[in-house]
Amino acid sequence: MKTYDVIIIGGGQAGISVAYFLRRYKLDYLILDSQETPGGRWNQVWDSLHLFSPREYSSLSGWQFPKNKEVYAPKDEVIDYYTKYESRYELNVERPVEVDKVKFEDGIYKISSNKGDFMAKAVVVATGANNIPEIPNIKNKDQYKGIQMHSLDYRTPNDFVGKKTLILGGGNSGAQILAEVSEHTETVWATLQEPQFLPDDQDGRYLFTRSNEAYLNGKTDVSLKDDLGKIVMVAPVKEARERDVLHARKSDFEFTEDGVIWGNGEEEKFDAVIYSTGFKPDLSLLSSLDVIEDNKIATNETESIKQKGLYLVGLGNWTGYASATIYGVGKTARDTAQKIANYLDK
Ligand code: FAD
């Protein structure tokens, strides 16, 4: 069986960015991706989703995101751009291949998948920061008989027409899903803390410009850190505010069979609950390497400290500053490719 220099697991923006830079070192790499087509998880986000990063902050390394009058691109344009990026740089990808285990035996990585085994001298895990839904353990959750859906599975408000819906979570996803579902049915928004909104004139462009400045100056910008947690007033969220539905109540309830009992004892019926309550990366494919602690892996930048030749890209800030954003993943990918080349002595 052939031994590749590098196998990259995951063909979203992180995986293809690493591959882009590995080409410079003439390394023999292969991307294994479980999607049918390019685009990573953008293939599964909800139908109406637009980027919150402006076009000028949505480019992968080497090739600009297409310009257009609309500042924030819809998801289909993101997928199209990634598809063309792969062809433009003739990236070596196999799809759909679902990796289930990575082992390290006799100095070589053995990667098993639903399409057979692969071998490599180094492995990059770029499987995304968003694959396991985080669902709060609310009392009597299992007794509730209505629809329960995580934002990872949410696609369209049409599924909720005529169904009174409780939406949980005070981040951008929660606000955006509330904005569109409330156009089709009665909604209640519940959050742990009072939601924080950015002023209307501070949009994604403002956040990305300041983030970039802070990064280039090597400074921690405390107020920026605060602002990054706030809801961006994209057009549908502003419009929900105009319709007077952008109000959250405290998420202090337990479930009943057909709804909830709020902290004040009031009962309310709901046909559906949508959890916009976050996600985490799935590292289970690395379980036989003995590197996982608290769903993280100790790294020196993107390189595992315990397991030489293992790299993690795009799984959150712990694998590189802003590495889970389109703009931010480039630097992390470039540094990782260089580290791999050094490791393989190329
Ligand atoms: P993913 O896109 O998740 O790609 C990982 C790939 O690995 C997928 O193709 C998956 O199928 C594959 N995979 C997973 N497990 C396996 C396995 N075992 N074997 C083989 N393949 C596997 N960032 C911005 O910069 N601007 C934005 O406006 C923006 N908006 C966002 C909006 C939402 C709602 C979300 C959730 C994120 C947003 N992001 C944004 C962040 C980021 O761009 C996306 O999360 C992006 O999908 C991350 O890319 P990735 O390559 O790291 O992971």
Side-chain angles (χ1 to χ4, degrees), residues 172-212:
N172 280 294
S173 300
Q176 287 181 28
I177 291 174
L178 169 84
E180 64 177 25
V181 174
S182 61
E183 281 192 281
H184 295 80
T185 190
E186 192 183 344
T187 50
V188 173
W189 189 22
T191 60
L192 287 176
Q193 276 95 34
E194 186 67 26
Q196 303 287 309
F197 302 96
L198 273 180
D200 285 11
D201 59 350
Q202 294 177 0
D203 59 7
R205 196 189 306 254
Y206 156 87
L207 284 181
F208 274 81
T209 308
R210 275 188 58 203
S211 250
N212 197 35

Side-chain angles (χ1 to χ4, degrees), residues 9-15 32-35 37 39-46 49-53 57-58 82 95 97-100 126-131 152 173 208 279 282 285 313-315 323-329:
I9 308 170
Q13 64 195 36
L32 301 175
D33 185 39
S34 55
Q35 301 283 326
T37 50
R41 197 160 273 285
W42 284 100
N43 287 297
Q44 274 96 40
V45 295
W46 60 91
L49 187 66
H50 283 56
L51 289 176
F52 65 85
S53 53
Y57 285 113
S58 302
Y82 289 1
R95 291 195 174 90
V97 181
E98 176 87 38
V99 171
D100 55 50
T127 46
N130 306 336
N131 17 32
L152 274 180
S173 300
F208 274 81
F279 10 65
D282 182 2
L285 75 171
V313 178
L315 305 188
S323 67
T325 64
I326 306 169
Y327 184 69
V329 73

Side-chain angles (χ1 to χ4, degrees), residues 33 66 68 106-107 114 119 131 140 155 224 250 253 255 289:
D33 185 39
N68 182 320
D106 307 323
N114 62 345
M119 298 213 294
N131 17 32
N140 298 332
R155 295 290 174 276
L224 171 64
K250 192 164 173 49
F253 63 89
F255 279 107
L289 294 180

Side-chain angles (χ1 to χ4, degrees), residues 281-294:
D282 182 2
L283 299 174
S284 59
L285 75 171
L286 301 176
S287 56
S288 54
L289 294 180
D290 188 29
V291 286
I292 306 169
E293 261 174 57
D294 268 351

Side-chain angles (χ1 to χ4, degrees), residues 71-247:
V71 178
Y72 302 103
K75 73 161 197 179
D76 290 350
E77 264 196 66
V78 181
I79 294 170
D80 187 53
Y81 169 60
Y82 289 1
T83 307
K84 289 179 177 147
Y85 189 89
E86 282 189 22
S87 332
R88 181 182 170 101
Y89 297 111
E90 298 178 337
L91 303 183
N92 192 22
V93 192
E94 264 190 55
R95 291 195 174 90
V97 181
E98 176 87 38
V99 171
D100 55 50
K101 204 72 26 248
V102 178
K103 290 186 186 158
F104 189 67
E105 289 167 5
D106 307 323
I108 293 288
Y109 285 95
K110 298 202 170 133
I111 294 119
S112 56
S113 81
N114 62 345
K115 297 283 166 69
D117 293 345
F118 297 84
M119 298 213 294
K121 295 176 201 159
V123 166
V124 178
V125 176
T127 46
N130 306 336
N131 17 32
I132 302 186
E134 295 214 74
I135 296 186
N137 196 13
I138 297 166
K139 195 169 170 198
N140 298 332
K141 181 160 70 71
D142 296 340
Q143 286 175 24
Y144 175 63
K145 295 201 169 114
I147 299 168
Q148 296 191 56
M149 182 185 278
H150 190 272
S151 63
L152 274 180
D153 299 310
Y154 173 79
R155 295 290 174 276
T156 160
N158 296 335
D159 294 342
F160 297 89
V161 175
K163 298 186 172 81
K164 184 172 171 184
T165 303
L166 173 61
I167 295 161
L168 303 181
N172 280 294
S173 300
Q176 287 181 28
I177 291 174
L178 169 84
E180 64 177 25
V181 174
S182 61
E183 281 192 281
H184 295 80
T185 190
E186 192 183 344
T187 50
V188 173
W189 189 22
T191 60
L192 287 176
Q193 276 95 34
E194 186 67 26
Q196 303 287 309
F197 302 96
L198 273 180
D200 285 11
D201 59 350
Q202 294 177 0
D203 59 7
R205 196 189 306 254
Y206 156 87
L207 284 181
F208 274 81
T209 308
R210 275 188 58 203
S211 250
N212 197 35
E213 277 165 8
Y215 178 68
L216 292 176
N217 296 332
K219 284 190 192 142
T220 311
D221 182 337
V222 179
S223 68
L224 171 64
K225 225 175 160 194
D226 262 12
D227 282 351
L228 284 172
K230 291 183 185 167
I231 294 164
V232 182
M233 295 307 291
V234 292
V237 177
K238 279 187 195 157
E239 199 268 326
R241 184 182 58 196
E242 274 153 33
R243 279 187 284 118
D244 205 23
V245 293
L246 200 64
H247 305 291

